[in-house]
Amino acid sequence: MTLTQLRAFVTVARLGSVKGAARSLGVTEAAVSGAVAALRRELGDVLFIRAAGGISLTPGGSRLAAGAAEIVGLAEETRHRVRQATSGTAHLRVASTEAGVEQVLPALLTAFGRRQPDLDVETLAVPVAVFGDLLRDRRADVTIGPAPRPAPAVESVPFLRFQLAVVAAPDHPLKHRQRLAPAQLASEPWLLGPAGLDPDTLSGAFLAHIGVEATGAKAFPSVTASLNAVAAGAGLSVAFLHVVRDDLRRGSLVRLDVTGVRLGGVLYASALTGERRSTTAAALCRFVTTPAATQAVLTRSNGVPMNEFRPPVHVTIWS
């Protein structure tokens, strides 16, 4: 069996379809089917069968998926370390939510980079549901945001308590209403960033709790764009309080008084445990607990030097 065959099978197992795996890997469906067929012949197991809505792994396929994911992850990590040794530059892949990539990582990683010379950082914007998979498959070194689902190989370090705020334009009719019940907000137009309804985030869970559905929300290319539309009077949004604090102080946005829901949470830095964690990932996990990291995130510089800017990679997960 080859690494290419194992990578194809792992991707099929994760996404639940040959078509989705081909799109993710950037190859043809025939190439993925051929790789899986070669594994079936060598192992004498069909590995998976078609089922309603996707595929169902056989017992042997489940064993292969677990082992192959580890092998592919080790290969990726080895490639990563060889590249680092060859270039003399430390490489770090950090995954977060869309809001985290836009509003937390720039200031945090800029501050971390001042302590880590010759650091090359790649940021990934992904749904919270795949945080754990990215870490275990070594496609990300650290995740910043909600803690992934509990797993033996992953450790999560809490480092920052945050508050969310429901915001509106200064002339919004609900501005002076006190102790608004969540149900009173359900029918309002909601203006959100690209992944604003992710139910695994605190903001997404809040919107689900009050009954906001995709048909009742409008997505913008960025959280900043959605907040600009809110300030123009087009609807409501929910955002990190520290992000909109200056807007609230200037009066370009107002914070609505919402009661009966949890609007506070904790950010975590998560990474593989023990020797599986790279030295650079370990350094970032230590740094996030320092006052310098907290200050960097909460004060949010208005930008980073152009020579330090790296656009995020937006990873789409097909089902």
Side-chain angles (χ1 to χ4, degrees):
M1 65 182 72
T2 68
L3 188 60
T4 298
Q5 293 166 357
L6 293 176
R7 182 178 288 109
F9 177 72
V10 167
T11 309
V12 171
R14 178 184 297 115
L15 301 182
S17 77
V18 171
K19 182 178 181 180
R23 291 181 65 187
S24 177
L25 295 170
V27 299
T28 65
E29 291 183 44
V32 174
S33 297
V36 172
L39 288 174
R40 284 170 163 167
R41 288 193 300 268
E42 179 167 347
L43 298 174
D45 190 309
V46 297
L47 302 178
F48 64 82
I49 58 175
R50 297 195 179 278
I55 64 170
S56 176
L57 296 177
T58 66
S62 295
R63 291 286 183 90
L64 178 61
E70 182 71 11
I71 293 169
V72 171
L74 285 171
E76 181 62 28
E77 181 63 22
T78 300
R79 183 182 295 110
H80 191 61
R81 292 187 178 187
V82 170
R83 177 186 170 199
Q84 182 169 317
T86 302
S87 66
T89 300
H91 296 273
L92 186 67
R93 297 155 298 180
V94 183
S96 187
T97 62
E98 294 274 0
V101 165
E102 181 182 345
Q103 299 178 320
V104 176
L105 294 192
L108 177 66
L109 295 177
T110 298
F112 177 63
R114 296 190 185 105
R115 302 188 176 197
Q116 296 284 324
D118 299 320
L119 176 66
D120 181 21
V121 180
E122 177 184 9
T123 57
L124 310 174
V126 299
V128 175
V130 303
F131 276 16
D133 289 338
L134 290 178
L135 292 172
R136 288 187 292 272
D137 295 350
R138 294 173 172 82
R139 290 181 289 158
D141 301 300
V142 180
T143 62
I144 300 292
R149 295 182 179 90
V154 176
E155 178 184 10
S156 297
V157 179
F159 71 92
L160 182 70
R161 292 191 176 277
F162 66 88
Q163 290 288 323
L164 296 178
V166 177
V167 293
D171 58 352
H172 196 280
L174 296 177
K175 173 182 177 180
H176 298 294
R177 298 283 294 275
Q178 294 184 347
R179 299 183 63 80
L180 286 163
Q184 294 176 269
L185 304 176
S187 60
E188 294 289 329
W190 287 88
L191 315 178
L192 309 171
L197 292 177
D198 183 347
D200 293 315
T201 64
L202 182 62
S203 57
F206 162 74
L207 293 169
H209 175 76
I210 67 176
V212 176
E213 299 180 352
T215 54
K218 184 175 182 180
F220 287 77
S222 67
V223 177
T224 300
S226 70
L227 293 175
N228 288 339
V230 170
L236 307 181
S237 193
V238 57
F240 289 122
L241 178 58
H242 70 269
V243 169
V244 296
R245 185 172 284 118
D246 288 344
D247 297 290
L248 297 175
R249 188 180 297 118
R250 289 192 298 265
S252 56
L253 291 173
V254 295
R255 182 183 184 184
L256 299 186
D257 181 17
V258 182
T259 187
V261 287
R262 185 170 70 95
L263 288 173
V266 178
L267 292 179
Y268 293 81
S270 302
L272 294 176
T273 56
E275 294 182 356
R276 298 182 176 189
R277 181 183 304 184
S278 71
T279 55
T280 309
L284 178 58
C285 289
R286 291 191 299 270
F287 174 72
V288 296
T289 63
T290 66
T294 300
Q295 182 180 14
V297 174
L298 294 182
T299 56
R300 289 187 68 241
S301 65
N302 291 326
V304 299
M306 181 60 70
N307 64 329
E308 297 179 19
F309 175 73
R310 297 292 185 275
V313 176
H314 291 75
V315 178
T316 302
I317 306 300
W318 288 282
S319 58

